[in-house]
Amino acid sequence: MPRRRGPGAPALERRSLNSAAALAARPPAAVPGLADSFGFLPYPWGANCAVRREVWERLDGFDPAYTYGSDDVEFFWRAQLSGAALVFASAAVVNYQLRDRPSDMARQYFRYGRSHPMLYRRFAAAGMPRSSTAGACREWGRLLLHAGDLLRSGTARARWLVRAALRTGRIAGSLRHRVRYL
């Protein structure tokens, strides 16, 4: 049974169902409302959201071109651009189980990263900012500097793998969709 929580608590409760390695790779963050990890429009977590039927039908639901990752983000951005309002329901909480094996985490993050350039291609004209090339270079530098984490504990290895997988996925997606979103 989900716990009740006050304003500012996360919509996804991750601590109770996940290992230390899974939490290190995808740390629980206090989300005071809707997520905004792209510096564009907010969106709800796909694992904990609801949509009015008329909005879903008017927009034809999730775009099947997003075969893995970001389909929920894309849908809620389209919804907002079409005039729909998003609301954060602070009492709605979902106990969310993450992938536990580092290889599964890395595969998931590679797919997430691969979908980000597709989002950029679709929403750049609406104001989605391009990712920072300098920021991507800094992240690759940190990954190279900490490559030894692959030989360390499960938590350090998982954290390194998901960060590298996300960046590798963004490169693959940039090549596939012919845009630069690193």
Side-chain angles (χ1 to χ4, degrees), residues 37-40 77 112-121 124 128-133 136 166-175 177-182:
S37 53
F38 294 94
F40 181 46
W77 286 356
Y112 284 162
R114 194 175 60 195
S115 71
H116 294 172
M118 191 174 174
L119 283 172
Y120 177 72
R121 190 172 100 196
M128 180 182 175
R130 184 184 302 274
S131 63
S132 162
T133 301
L166 180 75
R167 293 296 169 173
T168 304
R170 282 185 171 187
I171 291 170
S174 291
L175 293 170
H177 299 290
R178 298 184 180 130
V179 297
R180 181 177 52 83
Y181 194 87
L182 306 172

mmCIF file of all heavy atoms in Angstrom, residues 37-40 77 112-121 124 128-133 136 166-175 177-182:
data_model
loop_
_atom_site.group_PDB
_atom_site.id
_atom_site.type_symbol
_atom_site.label_atom_id
_atom_site.label_comp_id
_atom_site.label_asym_id
_atom_site.label_seq_id
_atom_site.Cartn_x
_atom_site.Cartn_y
_atom_site.Cartn_z
ATOM 1 N N SER A 37 13.759 17.089 -17.081
ATOM 2 C CA SER A 37 15.175 16.760 -17.232
ATOM 3 C C SER A 37 15.745 17.191 -18.576
ATOM 4 O O SER A 37 16.902 16.922 -18.857
ATOM 5 C CB SER A 37 15.389 15.257 -17.020
ATOM 6 O OG SER A 37 14.538 14.510 -17.847
ATOM 7 N N PHE A 38 14.970 17.870 -19.405
ATOM 8 C CA PHE A 38 15.454 18.307 -20.715
ATOM 9 C C PHE A 38 15.497 19.832 -20.842
ATOM 10 O O PHE A 38 15.847 20.351 -21.892
ATOM 11 C CB PHE A 38 14.562 17.734 -21.831
ATOM 12 C CG PHE A 38 14.639 16.241 -21.941
ATOM 13 C CD1 PHE A 38 13.716 15.445 -21.285
ATOM 14 C CD2 PHE A 38 15.627 15.629 -22.691
ATOM 15 C CE1 PHE A 38 13.780 14.060 -21.375
ATOM 16 C CE2 PHE A 38 15.703 14.252 -22.790
ATOM 17 C CZ PHE A 38 14.775 13.464 -22.127
ATOM 18 N N GLY A 39 15.112 20.552 -19.805
ATOM 19 C CA GLY A 39 15.105 22.001 -19.869
ATOM 20 C C GLY A 39 14.080 22.557 -20.845
ATOM 21 O O GLY A 39 14.260 23.630 -21.405
ATOM 22 N N PHE A 40 13.007 21.817 -21.048
ATOM 23 C CA PHE A 40 11.982 22.228 -22.001
ATOM 24 C C PHE A 40 10.647 22.307 -21.287
ATOM 25 O O PHE A 40 10.406 23.234 -20.532
ATOM 26 C CB PHE A 40 11.966 21.247 -23.181
ATOM 27 C CG PHE A 40 10.980 21.559 -24.265
ATOM 28 C CD1 PHE A 40 10.842 22.842 -24.770
ATOM 29 C CD2 PHE A 40 10.190 20.562 -24.801
ATOM 30 C CE1 PHE A 40 9.921 23.132 -25.781
ATOM 31 C CE2 PHE A 40 9.279 20.830 -25.815
ATOM 32 C CZ PHE A 40 9.144 22.115 -26.299
ATOM 33 N N TRP A 77 4.506 16.236 -23.888
ATOM 34 C CA TRP A 77 4.910 17.485 -24.547
ATOM 35 C C TRP A 77 3.917 17.841 -25.650
ATOM 36 O O TRP A 77 3.508 18.982 -25.780
ATOM 37 C CB TRP A 77 6.316 17.368 -25.109
ATOM 38 C CG TRP A 77 7.392 17.418 -24.067
ATOM 39 C CD1 TRP A 77 7.245 17.628 -22.719
ATOM 40 C CD2 TRP A 77 8.775 17.252 -24.291
ATOM 41 N NE1 TRP A 77 8.463 17.601 -22.103
ATOM 42 C CE2 TRP A 77 9.428 17.371 -23.038
ATOM 43 C CE3 TRP A 77 9.553 16.996 -25.419
ATOM 44 C CZ2 TRP A 77 10.802 17.264 -22.897
ATOM 45 C CZ3 TRP A 77 10.924 16.888 -25.275
ATOM 46 C CH2 TRP A 77 11.547 17.021 -24.032
ATOM 47 N N TYR A 112 17.157 4.787 -23.595
ATOM 48 C CA TYR A 112 16.730 6.142 -23.244
ATOM 49 C C TYR A 112 17.556 7.157 -24.036
ATOM 50 O O TYR A 112 17.018 8.071 -24.652
ATOM 51 C CB TYR A 112 16.932 6.427 -21.754
ATOM 52 C CG TYR A 112 15.934 5.807 -20.813
ATOM 53 C CD1 TYR A 112 16.243 5.693 -19.463
ATOM 54 C CD2 TYR A 112 14.696 5.356 -21.228
ATOM 55 C CE1 TYR A 112 15.354 5.138 -18.565
ATOM 56 C CE2 TYR A 112 13.799 4.800 -20.342
ATOM 57 C CZ TYR A 112 14.130 4.694 -19.005
ATOM 58 O OH TYR A 112 13.243 4.147 -18.123
ATOM 59 N N GLY A 113 18.880 6.997 -23.978
ATOM 60 C CA GLY A 113 19.760 7.924 -24.681
ATOM 61 C C GLY A 113 19.495 7.950 -26.170
ATOM 62 O O GLY A 113 19.517 9.014 -26.800
ATOM 63 N N ARG A 114 19.228 6.805 -26.746
ATOM 64 C CA ARG A 114 18.951 6.727 -28.183
ATOM 65 C C ARG A 114 17.668 7.481 -28.552
ATOM 66 O O ARG A 114 17.552 8.009 -29.657
ATOM 67 C CB ARG A 114 18.855 5.263 -28.601
ATOM 68 C CG ARG A 114 18.895 5.057 -30.095
ATOM 69 C CD ARG A 114 18.922 3.602 -30.447
ATOM 70 N NE ARG A 114 17.739 2.930 -29.927
ATOM 71 C CZ ARG A 114 17.607 1.628 -29.821
ATOM 72 N NH1 ARG A 114 18.592 0.831 -30.185
ATOM 73 N NH2 ARG A 114 16.507 1.094 -29.358
ATOM 74 N N SER A 115 16.731 7.586 -27.621
ATOM 75 C CA SER A 115 15.476 8.291 -27.915
ATOM 76 C C SER A 115 15.595 9.803 -27.739
ATOM 77 O O SER A 115 14.782 10.549 -28.283
ATOM 78 C CB SER A 115 14.346 7.748 -27.042
ATOM 79 O OG SER A 115 14.510 8.128 -25.687
ATOM 80 N N HIS A 116 16.568 10.287 -27.004
ATOM 81 C CA HIS A 116 16.683 11.728 -26.751
ATOM 82 C C HIS A 116 16.899 12.543 -28.025
ATOM 83 O O HIS A 116 16.246 13.582 -28.186
ATOM 84 C CB HIS A 116 17.783 12.004 -25.727
ATOM 85 C CG HIS A 116 17.465 11.463 -24.371
ATOM 86 N ND1 HIS A 116 18.381 11.455 -23.344
ATOM 87 C CD2 HIS A 116 16.335 10.894 -23.864
ATOM 88 C CE1 HIS A 116 17.828 10.910 -22.271
ATOM 89 N NE2 HIS A 116 16.597 10.551 -22.575
ATOM 90 N N PRO A 117 17.774 12.131 -28.955
ATOM 91 C CA PRO A 117 17.895 12.901 -30.200
ATOM 92 C C PRO A 117 16.594 12.925 -31.009
ATOM 93 O O PRO A 117 16.300 13.901 -31.702
ATOM 94 C CB PRO A 117 19.003 12.180 -30.963
ATOM 95 C CG PRO A 117 19.807 11.514 -29.902
ATOM 96 C CD PRO A 117 18.802 11.106 -28.866
ATOM 97 N N MET A 118 15.815 11.875 -30.907
ATOM 98 C CA MET A 118 14.531 11.828 -31.593
ATOM 99 C C MET A 118 13.585 12.882 -31.003
ATOM 100 O O MET A 118 12.867 13.566 -31.742
ATOM 101 C CB MET A 118 13.945 10.428 -31.465
ATOM 102 C CG MET A 118 12.767 10.143 -32.315
ATOM 103 S SD MET A 118 12.383 8.382 -32.124
ATOM 104 C CE MET A 118 10.878 8.305 -33.045
ATOM 105 N N LEU A 119 13.605 13.016 -29.672
ATOM 106 C CA LEU A 119 12.822 14.071 -29.031
ATOM 107 C C LEU A 119 13.296 15.438 -29.522
ATOM 108 O O LEU A 119 12.477 16.308 -29.832
ATOM 109 C CB LEU A 119 12.972 14.018 -27.507
ATOM 110 C CG LEU A 119 12.215 12.955 -26.745
ATOM 111 C CD1 LEU A 119 12.647 12.950 -25.278
ATOM 112 C CD2 LEU A 119 10.713 13.167 -26.855
ATOM 113 N N TYR A 120 14.606 15.609 -29.572
ATOM 114 C CA TYR A 120 15.143 16.904 -29.996
ATOM 115 C C TYR A 120 14.716 17.218 -31.437
ATOM 116 O O TYR A 120 14.294 18.328 -31.730
ATOM 117 C CB TYR A 120 16.671 16.942 -29.865
ATOM 118 C CG TYR A 120 17.229 18.233 -30.372
ATOM 119 C CD1 TYR A 120 17.048 19.409 -29.649
ATOM 120 C CD2 TYR A 120 17.889 18.299 -31.587
ATOM 121 C CE1 TYR A 120 17.515 20.617 -30.132
ATOM 122 C CE2 TYR A 120 18.357 19.499 -32.068
ATOM 123 C CZ TYR A 120 18.173 20.651 -31.337
ATOM 124 O OH TYR A 120 18.630 21.849 -31.815
ATOM 125 N N ARG A 121 14.835 16.231 -32.307
ATOM 126 C CA ARG A 121 14.436 16.457 -33.704
ATOM 127 C C ARG A 121 12.972 16.871 -33.802
ATOM 128 O O ARG A 121 12.602 17.754 -34.553
ATOM 129 C CB ARG A 121 14.689 15.200 -34.532
ATOM 130 C CG ARG A 121 14.528 15.466 -36.031
ATOM 131 C CD ARG A 121 14.965 14.283 -36.835
ATOM 132 N NE ARG A 121 13.764 13.567 -37.217
ATOM 133 C CZ ARG A 121 13.738 12.339 -37.671
ATOM 134 N NH1 ARG A 121 14.839 11.655 -37.787
ATOM 135 N NH2 ARG A 121 12.614 11.778 -38.001
ATOM 136 N N ALA A 124 12.639 20.591 -31.340
ATOM 137 C CA ALA A 124 13.568 21.724 -31.398
ATOM 138 C C ALA A 124 12.857 22.991 -31.851
ATOM 139 O O ALA A 124 13.065 24.071 -31.276
ATOM 140 C CB ALA A 124 14.745 21.403 -32.320
ATOM 141 N N MET A 128 12.734 23.133 -27.553
ATOM 142 C CA MET A 128 13.592 22.229 -26.792
ATOM 143 C C MET A 128 15.045 22.591 -27.076
ATOM 144 O O MET A 128 15.463 22.635 -28.227
ATOM 145 C CB MET A 128 13.339 20.776 -27.179
ATOM 146 C CG MET A 128 14.212 19.801 -26.406
ATOM 147 S SD MET A 128 13.930 18.091 -26.946
ATOM 148 C CE MET A 128 15.172 17.251 -25.970
ATOM 149 N N PRO A 129 15.838 22.851 -26.034
ATOM 150 C CA PRO A 129 17.234 23.222 -26.274
ATOM 151 C C PRO A 129 18.079 22.012 -26.669
ATOM 152 O O PRO A 129 17.808 20.887 -26.257
ATOM 153 C CB PRO A 129 17.691 23.792 -24.930
ATOM 154 C CG PRO A 129 16.781 23.177 -23.924
ATOM 155 C CD PRO A 129 15.476 22.913 -24.623
ATOM 156 N N ARG A 130 19.093 22.296 -27.473
ATOM 157 C CA ARG A 130 20.058 21.255 -27.839
ATOM 158 C C ARG A 130 20.881 20.916 -26.607
ATOM 159 O O ARG A 130 21.127 21.780 -25.772
ATOM 160 C CB ARG A 130 20.972 21.774 -28.951
ATOM 161 C CG ARG A 130 21.947 20.731 -29.473
ATOM 162 C CD ARG A 130 22.918 21.297 -30.508
ATOM 163 N NE ARG A 130 22.270 21.879 -31.669
ATOM 164 C CZ ARG A 130 21.887 21.205 -32.749
ATOM 165 N NH1 ARG A 130 22.044 19.900 -32.805
ATOM 166 N NH2 ARG A 130 21.339 21.829 -33.765
ATOM 167 N N SER A 131 21.317 19.691 -26.497
ATOM 168 C CA SER A 131 22.187 19.316 -25.388
ATOM 169 C C SER A 131 23.517 20.054 -25.544
ATOM 170 O O SER A 131 23.917 20.417 -26.653
ATOM 171 C CB SER A 131 22.415 17.807 -25.376
ATOM 172 O OG SER A 131 23.073 17.421 -26.561
ATOM 173 N N SER A 132 24.198 20.239 -24.458
ATOM 174 C CA SER A 132 25.470 20.951 -24.461
ATOM 175 C C SER A 132 26.599 20.020 -24.907
ATOM 176 O O SER A 132 26.852 18.995 -24.258
ATOM 177 C CB SER A 132 25.753 21.479 -23.055
ATOM 178 O OG SER A 132 27.098 21.799 -22.897
ATOM 179 N N THR A 133 27.272 20.379 -25.984
ATOM 180 C CA THR A 133 28.426 19.594 -26.434
ATOM 181 C C THR A 133 29.520 19.642 -25.384
ATOM 182 O O THR A 133 30.148 18.626 -25.083
ATOM 183 C CB THR A 133 28.933 20.110 -27.790
ATOM 184 O OG1 THR A 133 27.867 20.010 -28.737
ATOM 185 C CG2 THR A 133 30.118 19.298 -28.280
ATOM 186 N N ALA A 136 28.607 17.310 -22.646
ATOM 187 C CA ALA A 136 28.820 15.916 -23.047
ATOM 188 C C ALA A 136 30.305 15.571 -22.991
ATOM 189 O O ALA A 136 30.670 14.485 -22.526
ATOM 190 C CB ALA A 136 28.264 15.682 -24.446
ATOM 191 N N LEU A 166 23.918 5.850 -21.405
ATOM 192 C CA LEU A 166 23.099 6.983 -21.825
ATOM 193 C C LEU A 166 23.836 7.808 -22.881
ATOM 194 O O LEU A 166 23.273 8.146 -23.926
ATOM 195 C CB LEU A 166 22.736 7.867 -20.630
ATOM 196 C CG LEU A 166 21.877 9.081 -20.963
ATOM 197 C CD1 LEU A 166 20.445 8.652 -21.236
ATOM 198 C CD2 LEU A 166 21.920 10.098 -19.839
ATOM 199 N N ARG A 167 25.098 8.109 -22.643
ATOM 200 C CA ARG A 167 25.884 8.915 -23.589
ATOM 201 C C ARG A 167 26.109 8.168 -24.902
ATOM 202 O O ARG A 167 26.036 8.764 -25.977
ATOM 203 C CB ARG A 167 27.218 9.321 -22.968
ATOM 204 C CG ARG A 167 27.075 10.278 -21.820
ATOM 205 C CD ARG A 167 26.476 11.572 -22.308
ATOM 206 N NE ARG A 167 26.103 12.411 -21.179
ATOM 207 C CZ ARG A 167 25.690 13.642 -21.303
ATOM 208 N NH1 ARG A 167 25.570 14.215 -22.478
ATOM 209 N NH2 ARG A 167 25.361 14.343 -20.241
ATOM 210 N N THR A 168 26.351 6.886 -24.830
ATOM 211 C CA THR A 168 26.528 6.082 -26.049
ATOM 212 C C THR A 168 25.222 6.030 -26.833
ATOM 213 O O THR A 168 25.216 6.142 -28.060
ATOM 214 C CB THR A 168 27.014 4.665 -25.688
ATOM 215 O OG1 THR A 168 28.211 4.770 -24.913
ATOM 216 C CG2 THR A 168 27.291 3.844 -26.926
ATOM 217 N N GLY A 169 24.115 5.870 -26.125
ATOM 218 C CA GLY A 169 22.807 5.876 -26.777
ATOM 219 C C GLY A 169 22.519 7.197 -27.470
ATOM 220 O O GLY A 169 21.967 7.230 -28.573
ATOM 221 N N ARG A 170 22.922 8.302 -26.855
ATOM 222 C CA ARG A 170 22.711 9.605 -27.484
ATOM 223 C C ARG A 170 23.523 9.742 -28.775
ATOM 224 O O ARG A 170 23.044 10.323 -29.746
ATOM 225 C CB ARG A 170 23.049 10.738 -26.522
ATOM 226 C CG ARG A 170 21.962 10.982 -25.497
ATOM 227 C CD ARG A 170 22.291 12.187 -24.645
ATOM 228 N NE ARG A 170 21.158 12.552 -23.806
ATOM 229 C CZ ARG A 170 21.123 13.646 -23.071
ATOM 230 N NH1 ARG A 170 22.141 14.489 -23.073
ATOM 231 N NH2 ARG A 170 20.074 13.911 -22.337
ATOM 232 N N ILE A 171 24.726 9.199 -28.773
ATOM 233 C CA ILE A 171 25.525 9.229 -30.009
ATOM 234 C C ILE A 171 24.838 8.390 -31.085
ATOM 235 O O ILE A 171 24.679 8.830 -32.229
ATOM 236 C CB ILE A 171 26.964 8.741 -29.750
ATOM 237 C CG1 ILE A 171 27.715 9.765 -28.894
ATOM 238 C CG2 ILE A 171 27.701 8.487 -31.063
ATOM 239 C CD1 ILE A 171 29.052 9.280 -28.379
ATOM 240 N N ALA A 172 24.416 7.181 -30.721
ATOM 241 C CA ALA A 172 23.728 6.300 -31.679
ATOM 242 C C ALA A 172 22.452 6.957 -32.199
ATOM 243 O O ALA A 172 22.165 6.927 -33.406
ATOM 244 C CB ALA A 172 23.427 4.955 -31.030
ATOM 245 N N GLY A 173 21.681 7.558 -31.308
ATOM 246 C CA GLY A 173 20.442 8.228 -31.723
ATOM 247 C C GLY A 173 20.714 9.445 -32.589
ATOM 248 O O GLY A 173 19.976 9.725 -33.535
ATOM 249 N N SER A 174 21.772 10.184 -32.284
ATOM 250 C CA SER A 174 22.133 11.348 -33.101
ATOM 251 C C SER A 174 22.471 10.923 -34.523
ATOM 252 O O SER A 174 22.065 11.571 -35.490
ATOM 253 C CB SER A 174 23.317 12.092 -32.484
ATOM 254 O OG SER A 174 22.940 12.723 -31.274
ATOM 255 N N LEU A 175 23.224 9.823 -34.645
ATOM 256 C CA LEU A 175 23.562 9.319 -35.979
ATOM 257 C C LEU A 175 22.309 8.833 -36.705
ATOM 258 O O LEU A 175 22.111 9.134 -37.887
ATOM 259 C CB LEU A 175 24.597 8.200 -35.875
ATOM 260 C CG LEU A 175 25.979 8.626 -35.379
ATOM 261 C CD1 LEU A 175 26.846 7.404 -35.083
ATOM 262 C CD2 LEU A 175 26.648 9.542 -36.389
ATOM 263 N N HIS A 177 19.123 9.647 -36.263
ATOM 264 C CA HIS A 177 18.115 10.674 -36.559
ATOM 265 C C HIS A 177 18.713 11.923 -37.193
ATOM 266 O O HIS A 177 18.009 12.914 -37.407
ATOM 267 C CB HIS A 177 17.327 11.012 -35.295
ATOM 268 C CG HIS A 177 16.599 9.833 -34.758
ATOM 269 N ND1 HIS A 177 15.511 9.282 -35.411
ATOM 270 C CD2 HIS A 177 16.813 9.055 -33.679
ATOM 271 C CE1 HIS A 177 15.080 8.234 -34.735
ATOM 272 N NE2 HIS A 177 15.860 8.076 -33.677
ATOM 273 N N ARG A 178 19.994 11.869 -37.461
ATOM 274 C CA ARG A 178 20.708 12.955 -38.167
ATOM 275 C C ARG A 178 20.552 14.305 -37.484
ATOM 276 O O ARG A 178 20.263 15.316 -38.143
ATOM 277 C CB ARG A 178 20.260 13.015 -39.618
ATOM 278 C CG ARG A 178 20.595 11.739 -40.356
ATOM 279 C CD ARG A 178 20.244 11.850 -41.816
ATOM 280 N NE ARG A 178 20.603 10.590 -42.451
ATOM 281 C CZ ARG A 178 19.794 9.925 -43.217
ATOM 282 N NH1 ARG A 178 18.597 10.390 -43.485
ATOM 283 N NH2 ARG A 178 20.183 8.806 -43.764
ATOM 284 N N VAL A 179 20.717 14.305 -36.171
ATOM 285 C CA VAL A 179 20.744 15.525 -35.400
ATOM 286 C C VAL A 179 21.875 15.384 -34.384
ATOM 287 O O VAL A 179 22.336 14.283 -34.096
ATOM 288 C CB VAL A 179 19.420 15.817 -34.652
ATOM 289 C CG1 VAL A 179 18.267 16.028 -35.597
ATOM 290 C CG2 VAL A 179 19.102 14.726 -33.649
ATOM 291 N N ARG A 180 22.307 16.510 -33.835
ATOM 292 C CA ARG A 180 23.342 16.468 -32.795
ATOM 293 C C ARG A 180 22.678 16.710 -31.460
ATOM 294 O O ARG A 180 22.215 17.801 -31.143
ATOM 295 C CB ARG A 180 24.421 17.515 -33.042
ATOM 296 C CG ARG A 180 25.528 17.460 -31.984
ATOM 297 C CD ARG A 180 26.644 18.454 -32.256
ATOM 298 N NE ARG A 180 26.186 19.811 -32.479
ATOM 299 C CZ ARG A 180 25.904 20.692 -31.510
ATOM 300 N NH1 ARG A 180 26.006 20.354 -30.250
ATOM 301 N NH2 ARG A 180 25.503 21.916 -31.831
ATOM 302 N N TYR A 181 22.584 15.647 -30.682
ATOM 303 C CA TYR A 181 22.066 15.725 -29.324
ATOM 304 C C TYR A 181 22.870 14.736 -28.494
ATOM 305 O O TYR A 181 22.552 13.563 -28.415
ATOM 306 C CB TYR A 181 20.569 15.408 -29.269
ATOM 307 C CG TYR A 181 19.950 15.825 -27.943
ATOM 308 C CD1 TYR A 181 19.475 17.124 -27.768
ATOM 309 C CD2 TYR A 181 19.874 14.950 -26.883
ATOM 310 C CE1 TYR A 181 18.930 17.523 -26.571
ATOM 311 C CE2 TYR A 181 19.339 15.339 -25.668
ATOM 312 C CZ TYR A 181 18.879 16.619 -25.514
ATOM 313 O OH TYR A 181 18.341 17.020 -24.320
ATOM 314 N N LEU A 182 23.977 15.227 -27.970
ATOM 315 C CA LEU A 182 24.938 14.352 -27.294
ATOM 316 C C LEU A 182 24.718 14.320 -25.804
ATOM 317 O O LEU A 182 25.225 13.572 -25.085
ATOM 318 C CB LEU A 182 26.364 14.835 -27.609
ATOM 319 C CG LEU A 182 26.661 14.976 -29.103
ATOM 320 C CD1 LEU A 182 27.999 15.631 -29.302
ATOM 321 C CD2 LEU A 182 26.616 13.618 -29.774
#
